[in-house]
Amino acid sequence: MSTRAQTKIASIFGNHMVLQRNSNVQIWGTDIPNTDISLEGSWGQKEQVKTDKKGHWKTTLKTTNAGGPYVLTVNGSDKIILKDILLGEVWICTGQSNMAMPLKGGPGQELENSNNLILNSSNANLRFFTVSREVSSTPLNSCKGNWEVSSPKTAANFSAVGYSFGKRLQEYLHVPIGLISSNVGGTPAQAWTPKETIVKEFPEYKKDFTKKQNTKSATVLYNGMIHPLIPFTIKGAIWYQGEGNRWDPEQYARLFPAMIKSWRQNWKQGVFPFYFVQLAPFGNKLKGWVGVQQAQLKTMLTLPNTGMAVINDMGYKTRIHPPKKKEVGERLALWALAKDYKVEGIQYSGPIYKSIKIVGSKALIDFEEAPLGITSMGKTLKDFEIAGEDGIYYQAKAKIINKGTVLQVWNDEIKKPKNVRYGWQSYIEGSLFNTAGLPASSFSTEGWSQIFKK
């Protein structure tokens, strides 16, 4: 190996970056084998490490309270100086096109209030890193991208949902926020899942490893766009995806949590927060759409430290990319603010189905996440269906009773109801909320095994 100076730090590190505050952040790179590497953060921390026989080095550097700007100096066979570094909160923003959609919108697709959001985006305490698209059959150790300070020029091209999430956090927490966007439109969850998980749990995708690969192939985006980020110290992740898996909702109900678990395992940061967006209403009776929504709901209810932003009130029948992105990011931020930053007094979830009770010919539905009850927000309650013992569903009427605490559902022709479901079409205009104005997820009172059979 050449002995010329070749100190390098992993590609995710750079000028203007944000490092996770009050942590032992992971830092790594390469140099000549058996070379002493010293690191110094101008916030008052130092560390030393030696490269291994292959020239790799990795260490941790303690960070302190939020602040900056600071300088990070790495001394090996050469010197690297990274400037304008902030200590704050770092989140990954990932998924497919609805997360990738930039604040400026897309070709022929406007985002609501886009120009005003861009005009007001100058913020030295909000930083972005966008991972360039990369398909790889093997796990990569580097990616292309640069840290940028939020401004009209940079924010216009950054994930609109990610930006809105980060902006809401920054405004409330008053600390620097770093956002890493890694997204590719039209992609299924298996493309973002490590090979080990695919081989062990989803052998039906093993064929992807033996043919020409594209962005829909198993593991290739994990290899090219997630692996290079590991183990960069993060607070958590937000995710907006699911459209690419509507062909097999039952599988997605297993695949999505398996993907999350694999990321957590590989990052080695414990069960870090993972918040995601439930699919918005769209289209005309699209097969599998409601199934994916239910798979997402099941993931939230069964996998620890996850949360789901419901947007049943923001759908757009003829657009798979709803124009309201600011509100989506802000609903994700509610989960983080309540769960990770311990903000008391706010609601972070819409109503979640809890239980059903049959009284005479009517079904009474109770909900969690509605401490002050449920409301229609002035809308007509609709998109409810009810079934008797034969399992055939019919349109139903609904009424909120008992001072807003219970939903009553019935159909005059069904004398002995058994089950109720809500929002069981790919497009609805959500009409059920809690008093914080957060919409209820679509739901069925049947068990999961029955839901995914239909």
Side-chain angles (χ1 to χ4, degrees):
M1 180 178 287
S2 169
T3 58
R4 63 184 177 83
Q6 50 188 342
T7 307
K8 293 182 180 179
I9 194 168
S11 54
I12 186 60
F13 298 92
N15 296 325
H16 315 302
M17 69 179 171
V18 179
L19 296 177
Q20 183 63 37
R21 61 174 170 165
N22 297 319
S23 299
N24 291 306
V25 299
Q26 301 279 348
I27 303 181
W28 68 100
T30 59
D31 206 329
I32 298 168
N34 300 310
T35 298
D36 290 321
I37 306 291
S38 65
L39 296 90
E40 181 174 1
S42 64
W43 54 91
Q45 296 295 321
K46 297 180 180 180
E47 193 59 65
Q48 287 192 324
V49 67
K50 184 185 288 286
T51 58
D52 62 21
K53 61 183 180 181
K54 292 185 178 180
H56 299 288
W57 60 267
K58 178 182 175 183
T59 188
T60 61
L61 190 64
K62 186 175 178 60
T63 55
T64 55
N65 291 333
Y70 296 113
V71 173
L72 175 64
T73 303
V74 182
N75 265 306
S77 61
D78 200 357
K79 178 184 286 191
I80 297 172
I81 300 176
L82 301 181
K83 301 177 180 179
D84 188 31
I85 297 169
L86 301 181
L87 305 184
E89 297 292 294
V90 181
W91 288 81
I92 302 285
C93 313
T94 187
Q96 58 180 110
S97 57
N98 266 306
M99 183 66 84
M101 179 72 74
L103 203 56
K104 66 185 180 183
Q109 298 200 27
E110 85 288 351
L111 291 190
E112 195 171 285
N113 207 31
S114 173
N115 239 12
N116 284 334
L117 293 171
I118 292 170
L119 280 169
N120 290 287
S121 63
S122 294
N123 189 337
N125 283 313
L126 191 56
R127 308 287 177 90
F128 314 132
F129 185 102
T130 300
V131 179
S132 294
R133 180 182 301 200
E134 188 68 50
V135 170
S136 178
S137 59
T138 58
L140 301 183
N141 293 318
S142 63
C143 60
K144 295 179 181 179
N146 297 291
W147 283 94
E148 298 176 313
V149 180
S150 182
S151 69
K153 181 179 179 180
T154 60
N157 295 301
F158 192 74
S159 161
V161 171
Y163 170 83
S164 300
F165 170 84
K167 188 173 190 292
R168 176 52 60 96
L169 292 189
Q170 204 284 315
E171 287 175 340
Y172 182 85
L173 299 173
H174 301 294
V175 301
I177 303 293
L179 303 169
I180 302 170
S181 174
S182 186
N183 308 281
V184 179
T187 54
Q190 61 267 26
W192 299 96
T193 304
K195 185 175 182 178
E196 301 76 40
T197 300
I198 295 294
V199 170
K200 182 179 179 181
E201 300 182 44
F202 302 93
E204 59 267 36
Y205 290 124
K206 288 171 66 174
K207 62 182 182 297
D208 285 8
F209 304 136
T210 62
K211 62 183 182 181
K212 186 176 180 180
Q213 296 174 322
N214 55 42
T215 57
K216 292 180 173 61
S217 302
T219 300
V220 294
L221 297 179
Y222 172 84
N223 287 340
M225 300 179 66
I226 297 298
H227 191 270
L229 308 177
I230 300 174
F232 190 79
T233 304
I234 60 173
K235 181 68 173 184
I238 59 173
W239 170 267
Y240 192 165
Q241 188 272 344
E243 301 93 335
N245 289 92
R246 76 176 181 91
W247 316 108
D248 195 342
E250 186 279 329
Q251 182 198 66
Y252 192 67
R254 295 178 288 111
L255 175 60
F256 184 35
M259 187 205 80
I260 297 171
K261 290 176 185 177
S262 70
W263 285 23
R264 287 170 168 172
Q265 180 179 352
N266 292 349
W267 236 289
K268 294 181 172 60
Q269 281 191 216
V271 184
F272 60 75
F274 196 103
Y275 304 131
F276 51 90
V277 185
Q278 189 181 52
L279 288 188
F282 166 69
N284 185 24
K285 298 181 180 180
L286 291 178
K287 183 180 179 180
W289 203 263
V290 176
V292 169
Q293 291 180 327
Q294 298 309 296
Q296 293 167 324
L297 176 61
K298 183 180 181 182
T299 299
M300 189 267 286
L301 293 174
T302 58
L303 195 63
N305 214 14
T306 59
M308 183 175 73
V310 178
I311 54 173
N312 267 336
D313 57 335
M314 296 183 193
Y316 201 103
K317 193 168 188 178
T318 59
R319 267 186 59 175
I320 202 169
H321 302 126
K324 292 181 182 288
K325 290 289 187 282
K326 174 176 179 286
E327 293 82 355
V328 177
E330 290 177 348
R331 286 185 185 175
L332 288 167
L334 289 175
W335 277 93
L337 289 168
K339 296 294 189 178
D340 304 298
Y341 303 112
K342 309 306 178 186
V343 179
E344 298 181 359
I346 61 170
Q347 286 296 115
Y348 51 88
S349 171
I352 300 296
Y353 164 70
K354 180 181 180 181
S355 62
I356 181 172
K357 181 181 180 181
I358 305 300
V359 178
S361 61
K362 293 181 171 61
L364 304 182
I365 311 294
D366 281 328
F367 295 88
E368 296 178 332
E369 305 297 349
L372 294 178
I374 52 177
T375 174
S376 67
M377 298 285 287
K379 296 183 176 183
T380 299
L381 287 169
K382 59 181 181 178
D383 297 309
F384 292 92
E385 297 172 85
I386 194 166
E389 292 290 341
D390 60 5
I392 300 173
Y393 281 89
Y394 299 90
Q395 287 188 354
K397 298 176 183 178
K399 181 181 179 181
I400 296 170
I401 62 173
N402 292 9
K403 296 182 179 181
T405 60
V406 175
L407 182 72
Q408 184 183 73
V409 183
W410 75 98
N411 180 305
D412 293 332
E413 301 300 316
I414 299 178
K415 303 304 181 183
K416 294 183 178 181
K418 183 178 180 181
N419 283 299
V420 168
R421 63 190 188 188
Y422 165 67
W424 223 249
Q425 298 180 58
S426 64
Y427 181 78
I428 66 168
E429 296 177 359
S431 60
L432 185 63
F433 305 79
N434 59 21
T435 56
L438 297 175
S441 168
S442 55
F443 68 87
S444 171
T445 62
E446 296 189 65
W448 296 114
S449 61
Q450 295 302 311
I451 289 172
F452 292 118
K453 283 181 179 178
K454 298 187 175 183

